[in-house]
């Protein structure tokens, strides 16, 4: 009985040892456990952006899983995504430990990375028109915008915008080209492999049946060509959403007309009415924009620069249209220059008479504005008679206020007599000024009277080269003599209170053909 009990104890001890050994072996070789070896760090804690994402059994796996996680997020869209990714790996040497599944670690990394997205850069494009730049969401949107620009004038839809890479550029830059759709289809059918657009145009020209004897019905009417006036370039880029311009706003900025100040230089033969027609701006608006223009009668000087505001879009379209029309027309005015005359002097030699004609013409437009016209065929039904005029070439003299300062006390025209003996119709203008104020020649000329003249008191009369005469009255002292030549601005007298006068002042007149006129037609107040 005792022997059986000893055997039982022996078996029990053996069982315990076997069980412990088995457990040790299982712990040692079980998947997911790192065996204890004296080789340094063999168990790694992984943190991403300060957050724990798991444990791994080697450092390189952490870098690899992070790269995979970033790639997975980037693959979810076509956009360029910037994300914060600060990886921290802490190693330790352990006897055993359970490493996390790599898929789980990668999944946790993706979660952390999504929270750390800094900025999403959208695949977009930059449209450059000369120095003007605008960012759009796609190449297709840019092409649609450019198509809308030509669509303003191409009501028949004959032309389309194509984006093609500029092979001469080092970087991938696209250029916008306007192509006639029918021409492109014909080009595709005939498969022109060399020579480009020039060979296509030449081939089409050879197919046309036109010549010097072509009739009106043989001409191709409608829009012949279209192109952008500015160089248009497009580059694909990645940009944040806030830097993109909406399509509607892009249309306003690129296609709609903007007020663009510009300068017009007066050339020989110009008049305000002719300039208004040339620049397509009303004459009163041109006068309003230029301080040097008082009214439509203001004399223009050759080379004078006028400010004009021409509404133009940021992107302009040049297009040529061939049209047939019947019209009355005027022959060009024939101008005979007379060097002895002033530019204000003209004489009609022959009155004009309108003619009538049938015309086929190529008209070139810049946006809505006609810039040139080439008549291809013309049949005159009734010849126009030209207008013939003589016109002076000399610039007429100018007139200035004869005193500095002074207070205007009496205008030109009807008035109540200021004192007994004074006129009720004032033939000049009066400025009150202290006695002794310098009186200057309003314009250069020859003194024809210098002395006392009745109610005018002391006076000076000056004849000028344009036929006008100026008179200065009620003077206290005369500084010039008859026959003396004076220049504009020369001192000729001192103001006073002589003759029939109510106080110290200067009386000033301008006479045209011997008749007094309002001086303020020629001098400022």
């Amino acid at each position: 009985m005792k022997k059986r009990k000893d055997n039982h104890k022996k078996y029990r001890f053996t069982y315990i040892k076997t069980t412990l050994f088995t457990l040790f072996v299982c712990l040692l070789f079980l998947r997911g456990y790192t065996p204890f070896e004296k080789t340094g760090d063999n168990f790694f804690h992984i943190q991403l952006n300060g957050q724990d994402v798991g444990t791994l059994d080697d450092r390189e796996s952490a870098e690899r899983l992070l790269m995979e996680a970033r790639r997975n997020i980037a693959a979810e869209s076509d956009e360029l995504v910037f994300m914060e990714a600060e990886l921290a790996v802490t190693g330790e040497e352990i006897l055993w430990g359970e490493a996390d599944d790599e898929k789980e670690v990668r999944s946790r990394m993706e979660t952390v990375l999504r929270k750390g997205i800094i900025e999403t850069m959208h695949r977009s494009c930059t449209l450059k028109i000369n120095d003007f730049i605008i960012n759009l969401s796609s190449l297709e949107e840019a092409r649609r915008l450019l198509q809308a620009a030509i669509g303003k004038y191409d009501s028949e839809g004959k032309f389309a915008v194509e984006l093609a890479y500029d092979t001469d550029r080092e970087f991938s830059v696209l250029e916008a080209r306007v192509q006639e759709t029918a021409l492109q289809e014909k080009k595709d059918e005939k498969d022109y492999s060399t020579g480009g657009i020039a060979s296509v145009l030449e081939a089409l020209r050879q197919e046309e049946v036109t010549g010097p004897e072509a009739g009106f019905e043989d001409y191709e009417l409608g829009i012949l060509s279209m192109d952008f006036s500015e160089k248009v370039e497009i580059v694909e880029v990645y940009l944040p959403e806030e830097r993109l311009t909406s399509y509607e706003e892009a249309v306003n900025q690129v296609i709609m007309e903007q007020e663009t100040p510009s300068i017009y230089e007066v050339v020989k033969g110009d008049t305000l009415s002719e300039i208004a027609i040339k620049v397509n701006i009303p004459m009163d608006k041109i006068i309003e924009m230029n301080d040097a223009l008082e009214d439509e009668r203001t004399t223009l000087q050759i080379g004078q620069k006028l400010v004009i505001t021409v509404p133009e879009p940021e992107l302009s379209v040049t297009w040529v249209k061939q049209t047939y029309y019947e019209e009355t027309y005027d022959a060009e005015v024939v101008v005979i220059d007379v060097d002895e005359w002033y530019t204000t002097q003209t004489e009609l030699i022959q009155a004009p008479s309108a003619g009538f004609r049938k015309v086929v013409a190529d008209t070139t437009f810049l946006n809505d504005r006609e810039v040139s016209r080439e008549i291809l065929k013309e049949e005159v039904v009734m010849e126009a008679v030209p207008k013939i005029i003589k016109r002076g070439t000399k610039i007429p003299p100018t007139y200035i206020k004869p005193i500095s300062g002074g207070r205007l006390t009496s205008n030109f025209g009807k008035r109540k007599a200021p004192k007994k003996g004074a006129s009720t119709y004032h033939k000049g203008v009066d400025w009150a000024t202290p006695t002794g104020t310098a009186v200057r020649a309003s314009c250069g000329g020859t003194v024809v009277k210098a002395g006392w003249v009745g109610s005018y008191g002391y006076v000076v009369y000056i004849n000028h080269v344009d036929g006008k005469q100026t008179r200065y009255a009620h003077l206290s002292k005369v500084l010039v003599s008859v026959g003396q030549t004076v220049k504009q601005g020369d001192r000729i007298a001192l103001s006073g209170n002589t003759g029939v006068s109510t106080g110290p002042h200067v009386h000033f007149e301008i006479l045209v053909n011997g008749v007094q006129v309002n001086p303020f037609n020629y001098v400022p107040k």
Side-chain angles (χ1 to χ4, degrees):
M1 206 56 186
K2 184 178 181 181
K3 186 177 180 182
R4 179 182 292 178
K5 188 174 183 180
D6 290 339
N7 287 335
H8 177 71
K9 289 180 178 179
K10 184 178 180 181
Y11 293 149
R12 185 178 178 185
F13 179 70
T14 302
Y15 174 77
I16 291 171
K17 289 198 301 181
T18 303
T19 300
L20 290 172
F21 179 76
T22 301
L23 287 173
F24 178 80
V25 171
C26 288
L27 288 172
L28 189 62
F29 294 101
L30 188 64
R31 181 184 177 189
Y33 285 84
T34 301
F36 178 76
E37 296 180 10
K38 288 290 185 179
T39 56
D41 293 344
N42 58 3
F43 195 75
F44 300 90
H45 300 273
I46 313 300
Q47 284 191 326
L48 183 58
N49 297 342
Q51 299 183 43
D52 292 325
V53 292
T55 57
L56 296 170
D57 55 11
D58 67 90
R59 188 183 299 272
E60 290 73 17
S61 295
E63 298 283 353
R64 174 174 52 81
L65 292 176
L66 176 58
M67 186 179 297
E68 291 175 3
R70 296 184 67 164
R71 188 183 301 119
N72 290 344
I73 293 175
E76 292 173 358
S77 73
D78 291 333
E79 315 303 346
L80 192 62
V81 180
F82 292 92
M83 61 194 83
E84 188 176 354
E86 186 177 345
L87 184 67
V89 181
T90 305
E92 63 175 324
E93 186 177 29
I94 63 172
L95 180 61
W96 63 74
E98 184 179 4
D100 291 328
D101 183 75
E102 288 190 354
K103 290 183 180 179
E104 288 295 328
V105 175
R106 184 174 57 235
S107 177
R108 294 182 199 127
M109 285 182 169
E110 290 177 8
T111 300
V112 173
L113 287 174
R114 285 191 175 90
K115 293 179 182 177
I117 290 178
I118 300 171
E119 190 174 36
T120 300
M121 304 291 275
H122 298 268
R123 187 171 185 178
S124 51
C125 68
T126 295
L127 177 65
K128 186 173 183 290
I129 305 167
N130 289 342
D131 295 328
F132 175 82
I133 293 176
I134 193 168
N135 301 315
L136 299 167
S137 63
S138 65
L139 285 177
E140 176 54 31
E141 193 168 272
R143 193 202 65 78
R144 187 158 62 100
L145 176 65
L146 298 174
Q147 187 68 40
I150 66 171
K152 289 175 63 178
Y153 316 105
D154 181 20
S155 58
E156 300 176 4
K158 290 179 61 178
F159 295 84
V161 174
E162 294 181 347
L163 304 182
Y165 284 101
D166 184 353
T167 55
D168 296 330
R169 303 288 288 272
E170 182 178 353
F171 300 102
S172 297
V173 177
L174 292 104
E175 285 189 340
R177 301 168 185 170
V178 181
Q179 175 73 57
E180 187 176 355
T181 51
L183 188 62
Q184 182 62 43
E185 291 170 3
K186 196 153 193 174
K187 177 183 175 183
D188 294 340
E189 289 173 8
K190 297 195 174 186
D191 190 26
Y192 289 93
S193 57
T194 60
I197 190 65
S199 62
V200 178
L201 291 172
E202 183 59 31
L204 293 182
R205 286 194 199 99
Q206 293 175 1
E207 294 175 6
E208 293 178 353
V209 183
T210 58
E213 302 301 324
F216 287 108
E217 68 280 359
D218 295 321
Y219 284 87
E220 176 188 358
L221 304 181
I223 299 176
L224 302 181
S225 65
M226 300 192 88
D227 204 356
F228 297 117
S229 301
E230 294 82 16
K231 186 175 181 64
V232 179
E233 298 177 314
I234 305 163
V235 179
E236 288 190 274
V237 292
Y238 283 92
L239 293 171
E241 188 170 2
E242 61 268 18
R243 290 186 58 187
L244 300 180
T245 302
S246 69
Y247 178 78
E248 292 74 18
E249 179 59 26
V251 168
N252 289 331
Q253 292 187 31
V254 176
I255 299 178
M256 295 300 145
E257 292 181 342
Q258 313 292 328
E259 292 288 329
T260 306
S262 56
I263 300 296
Y264 179 87
E265 186 170 335
V266 177
V267 298
K268 185 177 180 180
D270 268 344
T271 64
L272 268 180
S273 59
E274 290 169 341
I275 293 172
I277 294 171
K278 282 183 185 178
V279 300
N280 196 27
I281 297 176
M283 187 164 57
D284 58 348
K285 189 170 182 181
I286 296 176
I287 295 170
E288 182 183 333
M289 289 186 289
N290 292 271
D291 294 336
L293 303 178
E294 294 183 7
D295 52 40
E296 65 276 4
R297 298 189 301 259
T298 303
T299 301
L300 300 176
Q301 310 295 332
I302 295 174
Q304 182 178 355
K305 291 180 172 55
L306 301 179
V307 176
I308 56 173
T309 301
V310 182
E312 295 286 2
E314 201 67 55
L315 178 60
S316 294
V317 178
T318 300
W319 51 292
V320 179
K321 186 175 184 180
Q322 189 172 99
T323 54
Y324 166 81
Y325 55 91
E326 298 176 358
E327 66 171 2
T328 58
Y329 74 99
D330 296 318
E332 288 189 13
V333 177
V334 177
V335 178
I336 301 173
D337 289 334
V338 181
D339 294 337
E340 293 77 20
W341 292 3
Y342 290 105
T343 55
T344 52
Q345 294 175 269
T346 60
E347 180 184 339
L348 178 65
I349 303 300
Q350 177 175 281
S353 177
F356 183 77
R357 63 184 175 182
K358 300 176 181 179
V359 178
V360 171
D362 284 349
T363 307
T364 301
F365 294 87
L366 178 63
N367 301 320
D368 290 314
R369 179 164 53 91
E370 180 180 329
V371 293
S372 66
R373 180 175 298 199
E374 180 186 0
I375 294 178
L376 305 178
K377 182 175 177 61
E378 177 184 32
E379 182 180 308
V380 177
V381 179
M382 184 171 65
E383 195 79 35
V385 176
K387 178 181 181 179
I388 303 176
I389 60 170
K390 285 184 177 181
R391 184 175 61 191
T393 60
K394 289 197 304 182
I395 304 299
T398 59
Y399 292 80
I400 62 173
K401 184 179 175 182
I403 64 169
S404 177
R407 178 172 56 88
L408 180 65
T409 56
S410 184
N411 271 305
F412 179 86
K414 290 183 179 181
R415 68 174 182 178
K416 184 178 180 180
K419 63 180 294 186
K420 187 176 181 179
S423 172
T424 57
Y425 189 90
H426 199 218
K427 297 180 179 180
V429 293
D430 291 345
W431 289 282
T433 188
T435 298
T437 300
V439 179
R440 301 182 182 278
S442 179
C443 180
T446 303
V447 177
V448 293
K449 189 178 288 292
W452 187 272
V453 176
S455 62
Y456 274 9
Y458 285 110
V459 301
V460 172
Y461 294 177
I462 302 175
N463 285 349
H464 307 286
V465 293
D466 61 350
K468 296 183 181 67
Q469 185 183 84
T470 54
R471 295 179 177 180
Y472 315 78
H474 306 299
L475 309 171
S476 64
K477 186 176 182 179
V478 174
L479 304 178
V480 292
S481 57
V482 174
Q484 183 176 340
T485 300
V486 296
K487 294 183 294 185
Q488 186 181 66
D490 283 353
R491 285 188 3 150
I492 58 173
L494 300 178
S495 66
N497 191 27
T498 58
V500 179
S501 173
T502 58
H505 74 287
V506 171
H507 174 84
F508 176 66
E509 297 178 5
I510 295 182
L511 292 82
V512 177
N513 297 324
V515 178
Q516 286 91 344
V517 297
N518 190 346
F520 289 139
N521 290 340
Y522 302 93
V523 301
K525 289 187 179 182

